[in-house]
Amino acid sequence: MVKMTRGNRILAEELAQETMMRVWHKAALFDPSKAQASTWIFTIARNQMIDSVRRALRPDFDPNDPAFVPDEFVAADLLIERKQSAAALGRAMTALKGRYAEVLRMSFFEGLTHSTIAENLNLPIGTVKSRIRLACEKLRTALQDEAK
């Protein structure tokens, strides 16, 4: 191990201990008809060394890496697109009948569950689900018509 680690005695000792632990845990897998015990142990040691080198070559996580830091500004075209989408959604929501808009508002904007909405409005849960589905279909149609 010292030779494989190029004289790094601390790493060699760690790898030797890991190797012996692996030999101990995997002893049942040893097949004397395939190789001698020393060959099997040296193969495990070699694999431990390779794993150690791979771990050492893996770069450390840098939270300041530009790939992980979000942009501080939103591109102008995206900002305009979001505002236009929000305005279109607002117009489509006002075009909905009150009962449809109410269940959508409670479900998506207030985050209430279907059963809570049913309790609050004193409606069967199936009616709430149907109104939400129909409201979403009407919104989709209104937004598609506006986009044309």
Side-chain angles (χ1 to χ4, degrees):
M1 286 303 240
V2 172
K3 184 178 178 183
M4 286 181 9
T5 60
R6 296 188 178 122
N8 186 341
R9 288 200 169 280
I10 295 172
L11 179 60
E13 287 177 15
E14 287 179 18
L15 290 174
Q17 183 157 0
E18 288 177 20
T19 299
M20 296 315 292
M21 289 297 295
R22 176 98 18 130
V23 167
W24 179 261
H25 290 291
K26 305 274 182 172
L29 300 176
F30 174 66
D31 184 3
S33 66
K34 291 184 178 180
Q36 294 181 358
S38 61
T39 306
W40 183 66
I41 293 171
F42 286 128
T43 302
I44 292 173
R46 179 181 161 274
N47 291 341
Q48 289 293 115
M49 179 62 195
I50 291 170
D51 290 345
S52 171
V53 169
R54 286 181 181 158
R55 279 191 302 267
L57 294 177
R58 190 175 305 148
D60 291 335
F61 174 73
D62 181 11
N64 296 320
D65 187 334
F68 300 116
V69 177
D71 293 337
E72 291 187 23
F73 66 94
V74 178
D77 59 336
L78 288 177
L79 192 58
I80 292 170
E81 211 173 282
R82 286 181 189 167
K83 285 183 180 180
Q84 289 174 343
S85 295
L89 181 60
R91 287 188 296 275
M93 284 288 290
T94 56
L96 280 178
K97 290 183 181 176
R99 60 185 182 184
Y100 295 112
E102 185 177 28
V103 293
L104 272 186
R105 179 185 48 78
M106 293 174 87
S107 178
F108 292 102
F109 297 114
E110 294 178 17
L112 300 177
T113 62
H114 292 172
S115 56
T116 305
I117 296 169
E119 286 176 21
N120 290 350
L121 298 177
N122 199 23
L123 293 171
I125 194 164
T127 302
V128 170
K129 290 179 180 183
S130 295
R131 285 185 184 175
I132 289 173
R133 183 180 51 78
L134 289 170
C136 288
E137 287 177 12
K138 290 180 182 200
L139 278 179
R140 184 180 306 111
T141 303
L143 291 172
Q144 286 173 347
D145 290 344
E146 188 171 313
K148 290 180 182 178

